[in-house]
Amino acid sequence: MRVLVIGGTVAHHGGVVAFCQRSREALAATPSDIELDLVAADSAFLPVWRLPAFLLRALRLVRRHGGKAGGVWVQYVNLPDLAYVLLARLMGHRVMVTPHLGSNWRSQSHPMLRQISKLILGRASRLALISSTQELEIALPPGVPRSYIRTFLPTPLWAELDPGSKGEAIQLIHSGRLSAGKGTFLFVDLCAALRDRGTPFFARITGGANRATMAELEARIAQHGLKDHIQILGHVPEAEQLRLLRASDVLVHLSRIDSYPLIVLEALACGVFPVCMELAGARDMIETYAGKLVSEEAPVEEATAFLSNIEPARLRSQAIEAAQKVREDYDWSNCVALLRQAMTATF
C-alpha cells in the first residue's frame, strides 16, 4: 500500500520535514507492505495574497499524487494544511491527520480559527496523535477515531553514551528555529543571570534565523557582555547537532509555542537534562523521564535559581539514566508498530 504524506515546507526545513523523512526511512527499514510518498505542503508563513495560488497548487498536488495512493496522511502545522484534508476527502480518499501544533498557535488561540480547525478535522478519517497531551491543547472533534503514535528520533542518536567528565562549568545548549517564541532571547537573559550569580557555564546556540532575528540576538549578547560565554553556530548538520548535544549538560528550551518539542526528546536521548517552559508536551516528557519545568511568568529567574544550586554531576547522572528509558521507548521498531497499526486501521 502506498500512502501520500503531505507536510512541511521546503524553505523551512524543521521538525515536521524530519518527521516525515524518518517515518519513510523507518518503514522502509522494517518488513512492511506500506510505502510513503512525501510531498511538501509549503504552508509556512503563507501571506493572505498567496492563498489562491496555494489552494490551486494543493488541488493539483492531491489530484496528481492521490490517485496513486491508497490513502493520504496530512501533517497539520498551519491552518492552510487543512485544505489538503478537505480536497483529499472531496476526491474520495481516506485521510489520517497528525497535528504538530499547540495551544499557543494562532489556529488554536483565536476562537474563530479554533472552531474552523475543529470542523475541518472532523472530516478526517482518523487522527494520529504524537502524544495524549495534544488532547489538552488542540480542539479535536468528537467521534473521529484516534490512534497514538510516536515521533521518530534520528538514527545517529543511538551512538553509545559517554558519561565522562565535562568539567566543572555547566555546558548549556539552545537549539531550534531561533526566535522570541522559541525562547532564544530568554536563553541569553538566563546566561547573563548565571554569569551575575557566579555560576560557571559555557553556552552554545544552534539553529537558523532570519537576518533581523540574528541581528537582534547578536545585539542582545553584546549588550549583556556575553561574547566570551556564548557561541552562535547557526544551522548545523544533523550529525554535528547530535555531537553538540552529547557534549552538553543542559538543553534550555524556554519555548512558548511548541506542542511536543522534538529537540527535548533528542536531548534526553543524548543524556542531556532539559529545562523547559511549562507547556503540556514538555511537562509530559519531563514527568516521564527527567528535567525541570519553569513557569511562563518567571522562566529566567526560576531556571537561574535551579541551575545555580544543583551540582553538575547530579544533572549528568539523572540525564544518563533518563536517556536509557527514552531510547527504549523510541526504538524505531516500537514506533513503526504504532504507525502501522494507525495506518492499517485508517486505510
Side-chain angles (χ1 to χ4, degrees), residues 75-111:
Q75 314 302 314
Y76 172 27
V77 186
N78 310 293
L79 194 63
D81 290 328
L82 297 182
Y84 291 104
V85 177
L86 292 176
L87 290 169
R89 292 297 283 154
L90 284 171
M91 294 181 194
H93 301 296
R94 293 188 64 79
V95 180
M96 186 170 79
V97 181
T98 293
H100 296 265
L101 67 161
S103 57
N104 290 332
W105 290 63
R106 190 161 180 258
S107 62
Q108 296 301 309
S109 60
H110 189 288

PDB file of all heavy atoms in Angstrom, residues 75-111:
ATOM      1  N   GLN A  75       0.056  16.217   7.614  1.00  0.00           N
ATOM      2  CA  GLN A  75       0.690  16.767   8.813  1.00  0.00           C
ATOM      3  C   GLN A  75       0.131  18.177   9.018  1.00  0.00           C
ATOM      4  O   GLN A  75       0.338  19.049   8.177  1.00  0.00           O
ATOM      5  CB  GLN A  75       2.215  16.811   8.656  1.00  0.00           C
ATOM      6  CG  GLN A  75       2.823  15.527   8.102  1.00  0.00           C
ATOM      7  CD  GLN A  75       2.506  14.319   8.943  1.00  0.00           C
ATOM      8  OE1 GLN A  75       2.611  14.346  10.163  1.00  0.00           O
ATOM      9  NE2 GLN A  75       2.117  13.219   8.288  1.00  0.00           N
ATOM     10  N   TYR A  76      -0.551  18.387  10.117  1.00  0.00           N
ATOM     11  CA  TYR A  76      -1.224  19.669  10.378  1.00  0.00           C
ATOM     12  C   TYR A  76      -0.340  20.547  11.248  1.00  0.00           C
ATOM     13  O   TYR A  76      -0.168  20.301  12.435  1.00  0.00           O
ATOM     14  CB  TYR A  76      -2.568  19.388  11.047  1.00  0.00           C
ATOM     15  CG  TYR A  76      -3.319  20.595  11.556  1.00  0.00           C
ATOM     16  CD1 TYR A  76      -3.156  21.857  10.993  1.00  0.00           C
ATOM     17  CD2 TYR A  76      -4.225  20.470  12.612  1.00  0.00           C
ATOM     18  CE1 TYR A  76      -3.853  22.949  11.466  1.00  0.00           C
ATOM     19  CE2 TYR A  76      -4.935  21.549  13.093  1.00  0.00           C
ATOM     20  CZ  TYR A  76      -4.744  22.794  12.522  1.00  0.00           C
ATOM     21  OH  TYR A  76      -5.442  23.884  12.995  1.00  0.00           O
ATOM     22  N   VAL A  77       0.237  21.575  10.628  1.00  0.00           N
ATOM     23  CA  VAL A  77       1.082  22.544  11.330  1.00  0.00           C
ATOM     24  C   VAL A  77       0.424  23.918  11.299  1.00  0.00           C
ATOM     25  O   VAL A  77       0.318  24.602  12.301  1.00  0.00           O
ATOM     26  CB  VAL A  77       2.489  22.627  10.690  1.00  0.00           C
ATOM     27  CG1 VAL A  77       3.405  23.535  11.510  1.00  0.00           C
ATOM     28  CG2 VAL A  77       3.094  21.248  10.530  1.00  0.00           C
ATOM     29  N   ASN A  78       0.007  24.325  10.109  1.00  0.00           N
ATOM     30  CA  ASN A  78      -0.612  25.625   9.894  1.00  0.00           C
ATOM     31  C   ASN A  78      -2.037  25.417   9.362  1.00  0.00           C
ATOM     32  O   ASN A  78      -2.321  24.398   8.715  1.00  0.00           O
ATOM     33  CB  ASN A  78       0.201  26.434   8.874  1.00  0.00           C
ATOM     34  CG  ASN A  78       1.671  26.468   9.227  1.00  0.00           C
ATOM     35  OD1 ASN A  78       2.071  27.051  10.220  1.00  0.00           O
ATOM     36  ND2 ASN A  78       2.501  25.809   8.408  1.00  0.00           N
ATOM     37  N   LEU A  79      -2.909  26.354   9.615  1.00  0.00           N
ATOM     38  CA  LEU A  79      -4.314  26.205   9.213  1.00  0.00           C
ATOM     39  C   LEU A  79      -4.468  25.866   7.726  1.00  0.00           C
ATOM     40  O   LEU A  79      -5.319  25.027   7.380  1.00  0.00           O
ATOM     41  CB  LEU A  79      -5.096  27.476   9.566  1.00  0.00           C
ATOM     42  CG  LEU A  79      -6.622  27.342   9.520  1.00  0.00           C
ATOM     43  CD1 LEU A  79      -7.103  26.332  10.560  1.00  0.00           C
ATOM     44  CD2 LEU A  79      -7.283  28.700   9.751  1.00  0.00           C
ATOM     45  N   PRO A  80      -3.684  26.470   6.806  1.00  0.00           N
ATOM     46  CA  PRO A  80      -3.834  26.090   5.390  1.00  0.00           C
ATOM     47  C   PRO A  80      -3.602  24.611   5.118  1.00  0.00           C
ATOM     48  O   PRO A  80      -4.089  24.082   4.111  1.00  0.00           O
ATOM     49  CB  PRO A  80      -2.781  26.959   4.685  1.00  0.00           C
ATOM     50  CG  PRO A  80      -2.638  28.163   5.558  1.00  0.00           C
ATOM     51  CD  PRO A  80      -2.770  27.624   6.961  1.00  0.00           C
ATOM     52  N   ASP A  81      -2.870  23.918   5.996  1.00  0.00           N
ATOM     53  CA  ASP A  81      -2.661  22.474   5.796  1.00  0.00           C
ATOM     54  C   ASP A  81      -3.984  21.720   5.729  1.00  0.00           C
ATOM     55  O   ASP A  81      -4.078  20.665   5.087  1.00  0.00           O
ATOM     56  CB  ASP A  81      -1.814  21.891   6.940  1.00  0.00           C
ATOM     57  CG  ASP A  81      -0.376  22.348   6.900  1.00  0.00           C
ATOM     58  OD1 ASP A  81       0.153  22.566   5.794  1.00  0.00           O
ATOM     59  OD2 ASP A  81       0.224  22.502   7.978  1.00  0.00           O
ATOM     60  N   LEU A  82      -4.993  22.244   6.405  1.00  0.00           N
ATOM     61  CA  LEU A  82      -6.281  21.553   6.448  1.00  0.00           C
ATOM     62  C   LEU A  82      -6.999  21.585   5.101  1.00  0.00           C
ATOM     63  O   LEU A  82      -7.949  20.818   4.881  1.00  0.00           O
ATOM     64  CB  LEU A  82      -7.157  22.151   7.541  1.00  0.00           C
ATOM     65  CG  LEU A  82      -6.608  21.989   8.967  1.00  0.00           C
ATOM     66  CD1 LEU A  82      -7.578  22.584   9.977  1.00  0.00           C
ATOM     67  CD2 LEU A  82      -6.341  20.527   9.288  1.00  0.00           C
ATOM     68  N   ALA A  83      -6.535  22.444   4.183  1.00  0.00           N
ATOM     69  CA  ALA A  83      -7.093  22.432   2.829  1.00  0.00           C
ATOM     70  C   ALA A  83      -6.843  21.079   2.165  1.00  0.00           C
ATOM     71  O   ALA A  83      -7.676  20.579   1.397  1.00  0.00           O
ATOM     72  CB  ALA A  83      -6.482  23.549   1.984  1.00  0.00           C
ATOM     73  N   TYR A  84      -5.703  20.475   2.481  1.00  0.00           N
ATOM     74  CA  TYR A  84      -5.392  19.159   1.917  1.00  0.00           C
ATOM     75  C   TYR A  84      -6.370  18.104   2.430  1.00  0.00           C
ATOM     76  O   TYR A  84      -6.707  17.158   1.714  1.00  0.00           O
ATOM     77  CB  TYR A  84      -3.964  18.762   2.272  1.00  0.00           C
ATOM     78  CG  TYR A  84      -2.908  19.586   1.570  1.00  0.00           C
ATOM     79  CD1 TYR A  84      -2.215  20.587   2.247  1.00  0.00           C
ATOM     80  CD2 TYR A  84      -2.601  19.358   0.240  1.00  0.00           C
ATOM     81  CE1 TYR A  84      -1.245  21.341   1.610  1.00  0.00           C
ATOM     82  CE2 TYR A  84      -1.635  20.106  -0.412  1.00  0.00           C
ATOM     83  CZ  TYR A  84      -0.956  21.098   0.275  1.00  0.00           C
ATOM     84  OH  TYR A  84      -0.007  21.841  -0.362  1.00  0.00           O
ATOM     85  N   VAL A  85      -6.820  18.256   3.660  1.00  0.00           N
ATOM     86  CA  VAL A  85      -7.790  17.316   4.223  1.00  0.00           C
ATOM     87  C   VAL A  85      -9.093  17.391   3.438  1.00  0.00           C
ATOM     88  O   VAL A  85      -9.655  16.365   3.009  1.00  0.00           O
ATOM     89  CB  VAL A  85      -8.042  17.608   5.716  1.00  0.00           C
ATOM     90  CG1 VAL A  85      -9.110  16.679   6.279  1.00  0.00           C
ATOM     91  CG2 VAL A  85      -6.750  17.490   6.513  1.00  0.00           C
ATOM     92  N   LEU A  86      -9.589  18.604   3.231  1.00  0.00           N
ATOM     93  CA  LEU A  86     -10.856  18.783   2.523  1.00  0.00           C
ATOM     94  C   LEU A  86     -10.756  18.305   1.076  1.00  0.00           C
ATOM     95  O   LEU A  86     -11.651  17.606   0.575  1.00  0.00           O
ATOM     96  CB  LEU A  86     -11.264  20.253   2.564  1.00  0.00           C
ATOM     97  CG  LEU A  86     -11.646  20.814   3.936  1.00  0.00           C
ATOM     98  CD1 LEU A  86     -11.943  22.305   3.830  1.00  0.00           C
ATOM     99  CD2 LEU A  86     -12.845  20.068   4.506  1.00  0.00           C
ATOM    100  N   LEU A  87      -9.666  18.664   0.400  1.00  0.00           N
ATOM    101  CA  LEU A  87      -9.513  18.281  -1.003  1.00  0.00           C
ATOM    102  C   LEU A  87      -9.409  16.766  -1.160  1.00  0.00           C
ATOM    103  O   LEU A  87     -10.025  16.173  -2.052  1.00  0.00           O
ATOM    104  CB  LEU A  87      -8.274  18.961  -1.602  1.00  0.00           C
ATOM    105  CG  LEU A  87      -8.373  20.473  -1.800  1.00  0.00           C
ATOM    106  CD1 LEU A  87      -7.018  21.060  -2.146  1.00  0.00           C
ATOM    107  CD2 LEU A  87      -9.386  20.795  -2.899  1.00  0.00           C
ATOM    108  N   ALA A  88      -8.638  16.150  -0.291  1.00  0.00           N
ATOM    109  CA  ALA A  88      -8.477  14.699  -0.373  1.00  0.00           C
ATOM    110  C   ALA A  88      -9.796  13.985  -0.101  1.00  0.00           C
ATOM    111  O   ALA A  88     -10.147  13.005  -0.772  1.00  0.00           O
ATOM    112  CB  ALA A  88      -7.407  14.232   0.608  1.00  0.00           C
ATOM    113  N   ARG A  89     -10.558  14.477   0.862  1.00  0.00           N
ATOM    114  CA  ARG A  89     -11.852  13.858   1.171  1.00  0.00           C
ATOM    115  C   ARG A  89     -12.844  14.060   0.012  1.00  0.00           C
ATOM    116  O   ARG A  89     -13.603  13.158  -0.324  1.00  0.00           O
ATOM    117  CB  ARG A  89     -12.417  14.446   2.461  1.00  0.00           C
ATOM    118  CG  ARG A  89     -11.629  14.072   3.708  1.00  0.00           C
ATOM    119  CD  ARG A  89     -11.636  12.578   3.963  1.00  0.00           C
ATOM    120  NE  ARG A  89     -12.912  12.139   4.538  1.00  0.00           N
ATOM    121  CZ  ARG A  89     -13.395  10.912   4.418  1.00  0.00           C
ATOM    122  NH1 ARG A  89     -12.760  10.009   3.705  1.00  0.00           N
ATOM    123  NH2 ARG A  89     -14.546  10.586   4.999  1.00  0.00           N
ATOM    124  N   LEU A  90     -12.813  15.254  -0.609  1.00  0.00           N
ATOM    125  CA  LEU A  90     -13.692  15.510  -1.746  1.00  0.00           C
ATOM    126  C   LEU A  90     -13.389  14.577  -2.911  1.00  0.00           C
ATOM    127  O   LEU A  90     -14.280  14.228  -3.694  1.00  0.00           O
ATOM    128  CB  LEU A  90     -13.563  16.972  -2.191  1.00  0.00           C
ATOM    129  CG  LEU A  90     -14.262  18.008  -1.308  1.00  0.00           C
ATOM    130  CD1 LEU A  90     -13.861  19.413  -1.735  1.00  0.00           C
ATOM    131  CD2 LEU A  90     -15.768  17.842  -1.369  1.00  0.00           C
ATOM    132  N   MET A  91     -12.117  14.167  -3.025  1.00  0.00           N
ATOM    133  CA  MET A  91     -11.719  13.257  -4.102  1.00  0.00           C
ATOM    134  C   MET A  91     -11.879  11.792  -3.714  1.00  0.00           C
ATOM    135  O   MET A  91     -11.462  10.895  -4.446  1.00  0.00           O
ATOM    136  CB  MET A  91     -10.270  13.542  -4.503  1.00  0.00           C
ATOM    137  CG  MET A  91     -10.070  14.899  -5.133  1.00  0.00           C
ATOM    138  SD  MET A  91      -8.352  15.191  -5.630  1.00  0.00           S
ATOM    139  CE  MET A  91      -8.392  16.969  -5.910  1.00  0.00           C
ATOM    140  N   GLY A  92     -12.461  11.547  -2.545  1.00  0.00           N
ATOM    141  CA  GLY A  92     -12.784  10.185  -2.162  1.00  0.00           C
ATOM    142  C   GLY A  92     -11.692   9.433  -1.429  1.00  0.00           C
ATOM    143  O   GLY A  92     -11.799   8.215  -1.230  1.00  0.00           O
ATOM    144  N   HIS A  93     -10.635  10.134  -0.983  1.00  0.00           N
ATOM    145  CA  HIS A  93      -9.542   9.467  -0.275  1.00  0.00           C
ATOM    146  C   HIS A  93      -9.827   9.414   1.229  1.00  0.00           C
ATOM    147  O   HIS A  93     -10.418  10.339   1.796  1.00  0.00           O
ATOM    148  CB  HIS A  93      -8.219  10.206  -0.493  1.00  0.00           C
ATOM    149  CG  HIS A  93      -7.824  10.309  -1.933  1.00  0.00           C
ATOM    150  ND1 HIS A  93      -7.540   9.219  -2.710  1.00  0.00           N
ATOM    151  CD2 HIS A  93      -7.666  11.405  -2.731  1.00  0.00           C
ATOM    152  CE1 HIS A  93      -7.216   9.623  -3.925  1.00  0.00           C
ATOM    153  NE2 HIS A  93      -7.295  10.938  -3.974  1.00  0.00           N
ATOM    154  N   ARG A  94      -9.369   8.354   1.860  1.00  0.00           N
ATOM    155  CA  ARG A  94      -9.365   8.317   3.320  1.00  0.00           C
ATOM    156  C   ARG A  94      -8.148   9.094   3.802  1.00  0.00           C
ATOM    157  O   ARG A  94      -7.065   9.001   3.219  1.00  0.00           O
ATOM    158  CB  ARG A  94      -9.342   6.878   3.834  1.00  0.00           C
ATOM    159  CG  ARG A  94     -10.649   6.135   3.504  1.00  0.00           C
ATOM    160  CD  ARG A  94     -10.711   4.782   4.162  1.00  0.00           C
ATOM    161  NE  ARG A  94     -10.725   4.871   5.624  1.00  0.00           N
ATOM    162  CZ  ARG A  94     -11.784   5.168   6.359  1.00  0.00           C
ATOM    163  NH1 ARG A  94     -12.946   5.451   5.781  1.00  0.00           N
ATOM    164  NH2 ARG A  94     -11.714   5.199   7.676  1.00  0.00           N
ATOM    165  N   VAL A  95      -8.326   9.873   4.884  1.00  0.00           N
ATOM    166  CA  VAL A  95      -7.289  10.809   5.325  1.00  0.00           C
ATOM    167  C   VAL A  95      -6.991  10.625   6.812  1.00  0.00           C
ATOM    168  O   VAL A  95      -7.911  10.637   7.646  1.00  0.00           O
ATOM    169  CB  VAL A  95      -7.715  12.279   5.072  1.00  0.00           C
ATOM    170  CG1 VAL A  95      -6.620  13.236   5.531  1.00  0.00           C
ATOM    171  CG2 VAL A  95      -8.019  12.489   3.592  1.00  0.00           C
ATOM    172  N   MET A  96      -5.730  10.470   7.125  1.00  0.00           N
ATOM    173  CA  MET A  96      -5.257  10.465   8.509  1.00  0.00           C
ATOM    174  C   MET A  96      -4.520  11.780   8.753  1.00  0.00           C
ATOM    175  O   MET A  96      -3.745  12.222   7.899  1.00  0.00           O
ATOM    176  CB  MET A  96      -4.323   9.266   8.749  1.00  0.00           C
ATOM    177  CG  MET A  96      -3.900   9.095  10.199  1.00  0.00           C
ATOM    178  SD  MET A  96      -3.051   7.502  10.476  1.00  0.00           S
ATOM    179  CE  MET A  96      -1.406   7.874   9.851  1.00  0.00           C
ATOM    180  N   VAL A  97      -4.761  12.405   9.898  1.00  0.00           N
ATOM    181  CA  VAL A  97      -4.161  13.699  10.204  1.00  0.00           C
ATOM    182  C   VAL A  97      -3.352  13.605  11.489  1.00  0.00           C
ATOM    183  O   VAL A  97      -3.844  13.090  12.501  1.00  0.00           O
ATOM    184  CB  VAL A  97      -5.233  14.805  10.359  1.00  0.00           C
ATOM    185  CG1 VAL A  97      -4.570  16.157  10.657  1.00  0.00           C
ATOM    186  CG2 VAL A  97      -6.086  14.904   9.093  1.00  0.00           C
ATOM    187  N   THR A  98      -2.122  14.114  11.439  1.00  0.00           N
ATOM    188  CA  THR A  98      -1.289  14.222  12.639  1.00  0.00           C
ATOM    189  C   THR A  98      -1.019  15.693  12.924  1.00  0.00           C
ATOM    190  O   THR A  98      -0.363  16.375  12.126  1.00  0.00           O
ATOM    191  CB  THR A  98       0.049  13.478  12.460  1.00  0.00           C
ATOM    192  OG1 THR A  98      -0.205  12.084  12.362  1.00  0.00           O
ATOM    193  CG2 THR A  98       0.971  13.737  13.645  1.00  0.00           C
ATOM    194  N   PRO A  99      -1.527  16.234  14.022  1.00  0.00           N
ATOM    195  CA  PRO A  99      -1.251  17.632  14.377  1.00  0.00           C
ATOM    196  C   PRO A  99       0.177  17.788  14.928  1.00  0.00           C
ATOM    197  O   PRO A  99       0.676  16.918  15.641  1.00  0.00           O
ATOM    198  CB  PRO A  99      -2.285  17.952  15.464  1.00  0.00           C
ATOM    199  CG  PRO A  99      -3.277  16.822  15.417  1.00  0.00           C
ATOM    200  CD  PRO A  99      -2.521  15.636  14.934  1.00  0.00           C
ATOM    201  N   HIS A 100       0.791  18.921  14.596  1.00  0.00           N
ATOM    202  CA  HIS A 100       2.123  19.262  15.120  1.00  0.00           C
ATOM    203  C   HIS A 100       2.078  20.682  15.681  1.00  0.00           C
ATOM    204  O   HIS A 100       2.928  21.512  15.369  1.00  0.00           O
ATOM    205  CB  HIS A 100       3.178  19.197  14.006  1.00  0.00           C
ATOM    206  CG  HIS A 100       3.381  17.836  13.424  1.00  0.00           C
ATOM    207  ND1 HIS A 100       4.368  16.976  13.849  1.00  0.00           N
ATOM    208  CD2 HIS A 100       2.714  17.193  12.433  1.00  0.00           C
ATOM    209  CE1 HIS A 100       4.317  15.855  13.147  1.00  0.00           C
ATOM    210  NE2 HIS A 100       3.322  15.957  12.281  1.00  0.00           N
ATOM    211  N   LEU A 101       1.089  20.994  16.469  1.00  0.00           N
ATOM    212  CA  LEU A 101       0.925  22.355  16.983  1.00  0.00           C
ATOM    213  C   LEU A 101       0.371  22.287  18.392  1.00  0.00           C
ATOM    214  O   LEU A 101      -0.019  21.220  18.863  1.00  0.00           O
ATOM    215  CB  LEU A 101       0.005  23.174  16.076  1.00  0.00           C
ATOM    216  CG  LEU A 101      -1.467  22.768  15.985  1.00  0.00           C
ATOM    217  CD1 LEU A 101      -2.291  23.923  15.437  1.00  0.00           C
ATOM    218  CD2 LEU A 101      -1.673  21.550  15.097  1.00  0.00           C
ATOM    219  N   GLY A 102       0.363  23.454  19.048  1.00  0.00           N
ATOM    220  CA  GLY A 102      -0.101  23.506  20.424  1.00  0.00           C
ATOM    221  C   GLY A 102      -1.111  24.610  20.655  1.00  0.00           C
ATOM    222  O   GLY A 102      -1.564  25.280  19.720  1.00  0.00           O
ATOM    223  N   SER A 103      -1.428  24.837  21.906  1.00  0.00           N
ATOM    224  CA  SER A 103      -2.496  25.776  22.257  1.00  0.00           C
ATOM    225  C   SER A 103      -2.144  27.225  21.950  1.00  0.00           C
ATOM    226  O   SER A 103      -3.032  28.058  21.796  1.00  0.00           O
ATOM    227  CB  SER A 103      -2.831  25.644  23.748  1.00  0.00           C
ATOM    228  OG  SER A 103      -1.669  25.870  24.540  1.00  0.00           O
ATOM    229  N   ASN A 104      -0.851  27.545  21.850  1.00  0.00           N
ATOM    230  CA  ASN A 104      -0.456  28.933  21.603  1.00  0.00           C
ATOM    231  C   ASN A 104      -0.377  29.282  20.117  1.00  0.00           C
ATOM    232  O   ASN A 104      -0.116  30.434  19.775  1.00  0.00           O
ATOM    233  CB  ASN A 104       0.901  29.224  22.255  1.00  0.00           C
ATOM    234  CG  ASN A 104       0.796  29.258  23.763  1.00  0.00           C
ATOM    235  OD1 ASN A 104      -0.256  29.570  24.311  1.00  0.00           O
ATOM    236  ND2 ASN A 104       1.874  28.939  24.459  1.00  0.00           N
ATOM    237  N   TRP A 105      -0.584  28.301  19.249  1.00  0.00           N
ATOM    238  CA  TRP A 105      -0.577  28.590  17.814  1.00  0.00           C
ATOM    239  C   TRP A 105      -1.849  29.359  17.464  1.00  0.00           C
ATOM    240  O   TRP A 105      -2.898  29.171  18.074  1.00  0.00           O
ATOM    241  CB  TRP A 105      -0.490  27.298  17.009  1.00  0.00           C
ATOM    242  CG  TRP A 105       0.848  26.635  17.139  1.00  0.00           C
ATOM    243  CD1 TRP A 105       1.391  26.136  18.278  1.00  0.00           C
ATOM    244  CD2 TRP A 105       1.805  26.416  16.110  1.00  0.00           C
ATOM    245  NE1 TRP A 105       2.639  25.610  18.024  1.00  0.00           N
ATOM    246  CE2 TRP A 105       2.921  25.764  16.694  1.00  0.00           C
ATOM    247  CE3 TRP A 105       1.828  26.669  14.743  1.00  0.00           C
ATOM    248  CZ2 TRP A 105       4.038  25.383  15.968  1.00  0.00           C
ATOM    249  CZ3 TRP A 105       2.944  26.294  14.016  1.00  0.00           C
ATOM    250  CH2 TRP A 105       4.025  25.665  14.619  1.00  0.00           C
ATOM    251  N   ARG A 106      -1.747  30.204  16.443  1.00  0.00           N
ATOM    252  CA  ARG A 106      -2.858  31.105  16.123  1.00  0.00           C
ATOM    253  C   ARG A 106      -4.135  30.343  15.796  1.00  0.00           C
ATOM    254  O   ARG A 106      -5.233  30.756  16.159  1.00  0.00           O
ATOM    255  CB  ARG A 106      -2.470  32.006  14.944  1.00  0.00           C
ATOM    256  CG  ARG A 106      -3.461  33.137  14.697  1.00  0.00           C
ATOM    257  CD  ARG A 106      -2.843  34.247  13.875  1.00  0.00           C
ATOM    258  NE  ARG A 106      -3.801  35.314  13.641  1.00  0.00           N
ATOM    259  CZ  ARG A 106      -4.464  35.480  12.501  1.00  0.00           C
ATOM    260  NH1 ARG A 106      -4.266  34.655  11.497  1.00  0.00           N
ATOM    261  NH2 ARG A 106      -5.317  36.479  12.349  1.00  0.00           N
ATOM    262  N   SER A 107      -4.010  29.209  15.124  1.00  0.00           N
ATOM    263  CA  SER A 107      -5.205  28.455  14.746  1.00  0.00           C
ATOM    264  C   SER A 107      -5.910  27.842  15.947  1.00  0.00           C
ATOM    265  O   SER A 107      -7.057  27.393  15.835  1.00  0.00           O
ATOM    266  CB  SER A 107      -4.842  27.338  13.756  1.00  0.00           C
ATOM    267  OG  SER A 107      -3.954  26.417  14.345  1.00  0.00           O
ATOM    268  N   GLN A 108      -5.244  27.843  17.117  1.00  0.00           N
ATOM    269  CA  GLN A 108      -5.866  27.329  18.331  1.00  0.00           C
ATOM    270  C   GLN A 108      -6.184  28.437  19.331  1.00  0.00           C
ATOM    271  O   GLN A 108      -7.124  28.321  20.116  1.00  0.00           O
ATOM    272  CB  GLN A 108      -4.953  26.288  18.990  1.00  0.00           C
ATOM    273  CG  GLN A 108      -4.729  25.055  18.149  1.00  0.00           C
ATOM    274  CD  GLN A 108      -6.014  24.335  17.799  1.00  0.00           C
ATOM    275  OE1 GLN A 108      -6.825  24.037  18.671  1.00  0.00           O
ATOM    276  NE2 GLN A 108      -6.212  24.053  16.516  1.00  0.00           N
ATOM    277  N   SER A 109      -5.407  29.509  19.328  1.00  0.00           N
ATOM    278  CA  SER A 109      -5.628  30.592  20.295  1.00  0.00           C
ATOM    279  C   SER A 109      -6.731  31.553  19.855  1.00  0.00           C
ATOM    280  O   SER A 109      -7.356  32.214  20.683  1.00  0.00           O
ATOM    281  CB  SER A 109      -4.324  31.367  20.530  1.00  0.00           C
ATOM    282  OG  SER A 109      -3.852  31.942  19.318  1.00  0.00           O
ATOM    283  N   HIS A 110      -6.967  31.660  18.536  1.00  0.00           N
ATOM    284  CA  HIS A 110      -8.030  32.524  18.019  1.00  0.00           C
ATOM    285  C   HIS A 110      -9.341  31.723  17.994  1.00  0.00           C
ATOM    286  O   HIS A 110      -9.426  30.676  17.353  1.00  0.00           O
ATOM    287  CB  HIS A 110      -7.675  32.998  16.608  1.00  0.00           C
ATOM    288  CG  HIS A 110      -8.580  34.048  16.069  1.00  0.00           C
ATOM    289  ND1 HIS A 110      -9.876  33.787  15.671  1.00  0.00           N
ATOM    290  CD2 HIS A 110      -8.387  35.374  15.876  1.00  0.00           C
ATOM    291  CE1 HIS A 110     -10.436  34.896  15.236  1.00  0.00           C
ATOM    292  NE2 HIS A 110      -9.556  35.880  15.355  1.00  0.00           N
ATOM    293  N   PRO A 111     -10.379  32.186  18.701  1.00  0.00           N
ATOM    294  CA  PRO A 111     -11.615  31.393  18.840  1.00  0.00           C
ATOM    295  C   PRO A 111     -12.231  30.956  17.515  1.00  0.00           C
ATOM    296  O   PRO A 111     -12.629  29.792  17.365  1.00  0.00           O
ATOM    297  CB  PRO A 111     -12.548  32.327  19.615  1.00  0.00           C
ATOM    298  CG  PRO A 111     -11.628  33.222  20.373  1.00  0.00           C
ATOM    299  CD  PRO A 111     -10.432  33.426  19.489  1.00  0.00           C
TER     300      PRO A 111
END
